[in-house]
Amino acid sequence: MDEVSRERAHRAWRAADRIRRLSDDMIRIGPWGLGLDGVLAWAPGVGTIYSLGAGGLLLYEATQSGASKATLGRMAAWLAADSAFSGVPVVGWAIDTFFRGHRMAARALQRDIERRHGRPALEPETELRPDSLRDVTPGRT
């Protein structure tokens, strides 16, 4: 595979981080987290579609970042298990709620990228939050 640029790899790292947070870490309670993957698991069909879509995006980012075959294999195994659980009514949905396959796959990709390109610099905040508002007093810049 062609050498992947550091910038492209770091974009993949950030995309994996967003997918991880959305899928499995929107709400954090100690070491546990819950996200769209766990919530949507209880909606027949919708959970499976979400799980496959988010997993597909993670694998796409992994291939674009030049992840190793071992990393791709681990990611695929965790994502396949996660998607399979969401297809089994009630018991599978309960397991899917607590099985954080997207998180494990995203972290595997991030570790692979960090090993090859280092950890990316933090992105500037894109959301407007009260603690990130700058002083907009007239006459001050």
Side-chain angles (χ1 to χ4, degrees):
M1 177 177 244
D2 296 314
E3 182 63 28
V4 175
S5 75
R6 181 180 178 145
E7 180 182 325
R8 178 60 184 102
H10 285 176
R11 269 198 328 257
W13 190 99
R14 289 182 187 99
D17 197 53
R18 284 189 296 273
I19 294 167
R20 175 195 56 81
R21 283 185 279 128
L22 186 63
S23 292
D24 292 321
D25 284 333
M26 286 180 71
I27 300 170
R28 298 280 306 167
I29 303 167
W32 296 280
L34 182 65
L36 283 179
D37 187 47
V39 172
L40 293 176
W42 295 91
V46 176
T48 303
I49 291 168
Y50 175 82
S51 189
L52 290 170
L57 286 173
L58 281 169
L59 290 171
Y60 170 78
E61 290 297 339
T63 58
Q64 293 301 300
S65 73
S68 71
K69 289 180 183 179
T71 297
L72 286 168
R74 278 192 305 277
M75 290 176 67
W78 287 320
L79 294 168
D82 192 87
S83 295
F85 290 139
S86 67
V88 179
V90 186
V91 173
W93 301 339
I95 292 170
D96 192 22
T97 299
F98 298 105
F99 182 73
R100 296 164 41 143
H102 292 98
R103 182 182 198 285
M104 292 186 287
R107 285 301 300 139
L109 174 56
Q110 289 175 317
R111 283 190 297 273
D112 185 279
I113 292 168
E114 289 169 10
R115 197 170 35 255
R116 291 178 294 116
H117 298 283
R119 189 179 179 107
L122 295 176
E123 278 189 317
E125 288 291 324
T126 56
E127 297 178 26
L128 214 51
R129 294 187 178 149
D131 61 332
S132 67
L133 295 176
R134 48 188 191 113
D135 187 356
V136 289
T137 308
R140 294 188 75 181
T141 57

